[in-house]
Amino acid sequence: MRILMVCLGNICRSPLAEGILLNAIRNKKLNWTVDSAGTSGWHAGEYPDQRSIRIAAQNGIDITYQRSRKIVPEDFENFDLILAMDKQNLSDLKTYFGTNENNDEKIRHITEFSTLHSGKDIPDPYYDDNGFEKVYRMLENCINGLIEIADDH
Ligand code: 4NP
């Protein structure tokens, strides 16, 4: 299973999603590939946001190896699942890859896999210093659900 996590800047939410999933698949010894990217290239080449680095570290996860990048057309072939953090990301991804509800199962909203947050967005924490803890907990629940659903892949 090859999974790409996507948000707007690829510095706050999707780096956390990548780190949490990578940690989970290592613990479960699953042979999955994980990466993350942004729908924008605004922060391309940058480290994750310090606030994401901190909340990850508090939970025993290192995300400092990551560097922001923008999505590229080949991502559509190179990943089995492309997971959006919010509805705007989802819509931007479908526009970018030229897909729609009728021809694509690959591009999904990450909260689809959550037992607690289905239908909600992972809120953009960029302008909310206190939002990172909530984002982390939401992503953890989504990723637990994802691992269970996809366990046999
Ligand atoms: P992310 O957060 O999409 O979770 O990485 C953001 C990062 C940067 C900006 C917005 C959201 N920005 O406007 O630069």
Side-chain angles (χ1 to χ4, degrees):
M1 192 73 147
R2 301 164 301 169
I3 298 181
L4 183 67
M5 301 293 195
V6 178
C7 61
L8 176 59
N10 190 213
I11 55 169
C12 297
R13 292 165 293 176
S14 59
L16 279 176
E18 175 182 333
I20 296 167
L21 179 57
L22 198 56
N23 187 55
I25 65 181
R26 278 183 184 148
N27 288 340
K28 292 220 164 211
K29 301 195 176 7
L30 295 170
N31 189 25
W32 291 11
T33 299
V34 188
D35 194 8
S36 65
T39 55
S40 81
W42 298 340
H43 296 273
E46 294 180 17
Y47 287 90
D49 189 287
Q50 285 300 326
R51 297 164 296 178
S52 286
I53 290 176
R54 191 176 314 121
I55 191 76
Q58 284 167 1
N59 288 277
I61 293 176
D62 176 25
I63 60 168
T64 58
Y65 68 90
Q66 296 184 34
R67 300 294 179 272
S68 176
R69 73 168 177 91
K70 188 182 193 288
I71 47 170
V72 291
E74 306 84 71
D75 285 327
F76 194 77
E77 297 310 324
N78 290 342
F79 292 93
D80 303 307
L81 264 185
I82 300 176
L83 299 181
M85 300 295 124
D86 65 30
K87 294 180 188 72
Q88 184 65 52
N89 305 151
L90 190 69
S91 155
D92 290 345
L93 283 167
K94 286 177 185 283
T95 301
Y96 182 83
F97 291 117
T99 63
N100 60 52
E101 294 70 27
N102 300 321
N103 71 359
D104 181 52
E105 293 272 297
K106 190 176 276 195
I107 303 174
R108 311 277 285 271
H109 197 308
I110 193 168
T111 62
E112 268 187 54
F113 297 93
S114 173
T115 53
L116 300 173
H117 311 293
S118 179
K120 296 190 199 125
D121 283 338
I122 306 295
D124 180 350
Y126 192 58
Y127 295 106
D128 176 15
D129 287 347
N130 299 317
F132 285 78
E133 173 80 33
K134 180 180 179 186
V135 163
Y136 189 92
R137 295 300 154 214
M138 288 180 82
L139 286 173
E140 227 175 17
N141 184 263
C142 295
I143 286 161
N144 284 339
L146 174 66
I147 293 255
E148 276 183 23
I149 286 170
D151 223 356
D152 52 355
H153 283 75

mmCIF file of all heavy atoms in Angstrom, residues 7-13 42-43 124-127, ligand 1:
data_model
loop_
_atom_site.group_PDB
_atom_site.id
_atom_site.type_symbol
_atom_site.label_atom_id
_atom_site.label_comp_id
_atom_site.label_asym_id
_atom_site.label_seq_id
_atom_site.Cartn_x
_atom_site.Cartn_y
_atom_site.Cartn_z
ATOM 1 N N CYS A 7 -1.925 18.273 2.337
ATOM 2 C CA CYS A 7 -2.611 19.464 2.859
ATOM 3 C C CYS A 7 -2.225 20.650 1.987
ATOM 4 O O CYS A 7 -1.714 20.457 0.886
ATOM 5 C CB CYS A 7 -2.282 19.682 4.339
ATOM 6 S SG CYS A 7 -0.530 19.967 4.689
ATOM 7 N N LEU A 8 -2.442 21.851 2.466
ATOM 8 C CA LEU A 8 -2.165 23.035 1.649
ATOM 9 C C LEU A 8 -0.663 23.338 1.569
ATOM 10 O O LEU A 8 -0.100 23.479 0.489
ATOM 11 C CB LEU A 8 -2.924 24.232 2.240
ATOM 12 C CG LEU A 8 -2.700 25.599 1.590
ATOM 13 C CD1 LEU A 8 -3.093 25.584 0.110
ATOM 14 C CD2 LEU A 8 -3.511 26.669 2.337
ATOM 15 N N GLY A 9 -0.015 23.428 2.728
ATOM 16 C CA GLY A 9 1.377 23.880 2.757
ATOM 17 C C GLY A 9 2.409 22.780 2.903
ATOM 18 O O GLY A 9 3.598 23.007 2.697
ATOM 19 N N ASN A 10 1.957 21.571 3.284
ATOM 20 C CA ASN A 10 2.858 20.450 3.599
ATOM 21 C C ASN A 10 3.907 20.843 4.647
ATOM 22 O O ASN A 10 5.065 20.428 4.581
ATOM 23 C CB ASN A 10 3.525 19.893 2.326
ATOM 24 C CG ASN A 10 4.290 18.584 2.538
ATOM 25 O OD1 ASN A 10 5.296 18.337 1.885
ATOM 26 N ND2 ASN A 10 3.835 17.739 3.443
ATOM 27 N N ILE A 11 3.465 21.664 5.615
ATOM 28 C CA ILE A 11 4.357 21.937 6.756
ATOM 29 C C ILE A 11 3.677 21.678 8.103
ATOM 30 O O ILE A 11 4.372 21.487 9.094
ATOM 31 C CB ILE A 11 4.947 23.368 6.741
ATOM 32 C CG1 ILE A 11 3.851 24.430 6.662
ATOM 33 C CG2 ILE A 11 5.985 23.522 5.641
ATOM 34 C CD1 ILE A 11 4.362 25.842 6.912
ATOM 35 N N CYS A 12 2.330 21.692 8.157
ATOM 36 C CA CYS A 12 1.647 21.491 9.451
ATOM 37 C C CYS A 12 0.957 20.129 9.532
ATOM 38 O O CYS A 12 1.389 19.247 10.274
ATOM 39 C CB CYS A 12 0.609 22.590 9.691
ATOM 40 S SG CYS A 12 1.311 24.248 9.816
ATOM 41 N N ARG A 13 -0.133 19.934 8.781
ATOM 42 C CA ARG A 13 -0.965 18.740 8.953
ATOM 43 C C ARG A 13 -0.409 17.487 8.277
ATOM 44 O O ARG A 13 -0.273 16.432 8.925
ATOM 45 C CB ARG A 13 -2.390 19.016 8.436
ATOM 46 C CG ARG A 13 -3.151 20.011 9.285
ATOM 47 C CD ARG A 13 -4.386 20.525 8.564
ATOM 48 N NE ARG A 13 -4.032 21.343 7.402
ATOM 49 C CZ ARG A 13 -4.885 21.863 6.547
ATOM 50 N NH1 ARG A 13 -6.182 21.616 6.680
ATOM 51 N NH2 ARG A 13 -4.477 22.621 5.550
ATOM 52 N N TRP A 42 4.116 26.704 -1.667
ATOM 53 C CA TRP A 42 4.503 27.916 -0.928
ATOM 54 C C TRP A 42 5.662 27.688 0.019
ATOM 55 O O TRP A 42 6.416 28.600 0.308
ATOM 56 C CB TRP A 42 3.314 28.455 -0.112
ATOM 57 C CG TRP A 42 2.146 28.866 -0.940
ATOM 58 C CD1 TRP A 42 2.152 29.176 -2.271
ATOM 59 C CD2 TRP A 42 0.787 29.027 -0.501
ATOM 60 N NE1 TRP A 42 0.877 29.503 -2.681
ATOM 61 C CE2 TRP A 42 0.037 29.426 -1.618
ATOM 62 C CE3 TRP A 42 0.151 28.859 0.739
ATOM 63 C CZ2 TRP A 42 -1.332 29.674 -1.541
ATOM 64 C CZ3 TRP A 42 -1.214 29.114 0.814
ATOM 65 C CH2 TRP A 42 -1.948 29.514 -0.314
ATOM 66 N N HIS A 43 5.765 26.501 0.567
ATOM 67 C CA HIS A 43 6.814 26.233 1.561
ATOM 68 C C HIS A 43 7.792 25.160 1.071
ATOM 69 O O HIS A 43 8.485 24.543 1.882
ATOM 70 C CB HIS A 43 6.176 25.825 2.893
ATOM 71 C CG HIS A 43 5.365 26.926 3.499
ATOM 72 N ND1 HIS A 43 5.915 27.888 4.317
ATOM 73 C CD2 HIS A 43 4.051 27.244 3.377
ATOM 74 C CE1 HIS A 43 4.980 28.745 4.686
ATOM 75 N NE2 HIS A 43 3.837 28.373 4.129
ATOM 76 N N ASP A 124 -7.084 23.618 9.637
ATOM 77 C CA ASP A 124 -5.788 24.232 9.351
ATOM 78 C C ASP A 124 -5.304 24.959 10.613
ATOM 79 O O ASP A 124 -5.928 25.914 11.061
ATOM 80 C CB ASP A 124 -5.984 25.224 8.204
ATOM 81 C CG ASP A 124 -4.700 25.920 7.811
ATOM 82 O OD1 ASP A 124 -3.688 25.786 8.538
ATOM 83 O OD2 ASP A 124 -4.714 26.608 6.777
ATOM 84 N N PRO A 125 -4.180 24.513 11.203
ATOM 85 C CA PRO A 125 -3.731 25.106 12.470
ATOM 86 C C PRO A 125 -2.721 26.236 12.283
ATOM 87 O O PRO A 125 -2.173 26.727 13.266
ATOM 88 C CB PRO A 125 -3.058 23.903 13.160
ATOM 89 C CG PRO A 125 -2.418 23.178 12.005
ATOM 90 C CD PRO A 125 -3.318 23.403 10.792
ATOM 91 N N TYR A 126 -2.469 26.649 11.053
ATOM 92 C CA TYR A 126 -1.362 27.570 10.782
ATOM 93 C C TYR A 126 -1.466 28.860 11.589
ATOM 94 O O TYR A 126 -0.479 29.369 12.091
ATOM 95 C CB TYR A 126 -1.325 27.885 9.285
ATOM 96 C CG TYR A 126 -0.074 28.597 8.829
ATOM 97 C CD1 TYR A 126 1.193 28.042 9.014
ATOM 98 C CD2 TYR A 126 -0.161 29.833 8.174
ATOM 99 C CE1 TYR A 126 2.329 28.693 8.573
ATOM 100 C CE2 TYR A 126 0.983 30.491 7.729
ATOM 101 C CZ TYR A 126 2.228 29.923 7.927
ATOM 102 O OH TYR A 126 3.351 30.563 7.487
ATOM 103 N N TYR A 127 -2.701 29.368 11.737
ATOM 104 C CA TYR A 127 -2.892 30.617 12.492
ATOM 105 C C TYR A 127 -3.459 30.351 13.884
ATOM 106 O O TYR A 127 -4.073 31.229 14.486
ATOM 107 C CB TYR A 127 -3.814 31.562 11.711
ATOM 108 C CG TYR A 127 -3.193 32.023 10.422
ATOM 109 C CD1 TYR A 127 -3.633 31.524 9.200
ATOM 110 C CD2 TYR A 127 -2.136 32.943 10.427
ATOM 111 C CE1 TYR A 127 -3.040 31.938 8.009
ATOM 112 C CE2 TYR A 127 -1.542 33.355 9.247
ATOM 113 C CZ TYR A 127 -2.005 32.845 8.034
ATOM 114 O OH TYR A 127 -1.417 33.255 6.875
HETATM 115 P P1 4NP B 1 -0.811 23.000 6.295
HETATM 116 O O1 4NP B 1 -0.902 24.440 7.000
HETATM 117 O O2 4NP B 1 -1.639 23.095 5.027
HETATM 118 O O3 4NP B 1 -1.403 22.095 7.302
HETATM 119 O O4 4NP B 1 0.659 22.758 6.036
HETATM 120 C C1 4NP B 1 -0.639 25.641 6.342
HETATM 121 C C2 4NP B 1 0.665 26.040 6.146
HETATM 122 C C3 4NP B 1 0.931 27.267 5.528
HETATM 123 C C4 4NP B 1 -0.111 28.053 5.109
HETATM 124 C C5 4NP B 1 -1.425 27.635 5.303
HETATM 125 C C6 4NP B 1 -1.686 26.427 5.914
HETATM 126 N N1 4NP B 1 0.151 29.308 4.507
HETATM 127 O O5 4NP B 1 -0.803 30.068 4.261
HETATM 128 O O6 4NP B 1 1.317 29.623 4.201
#
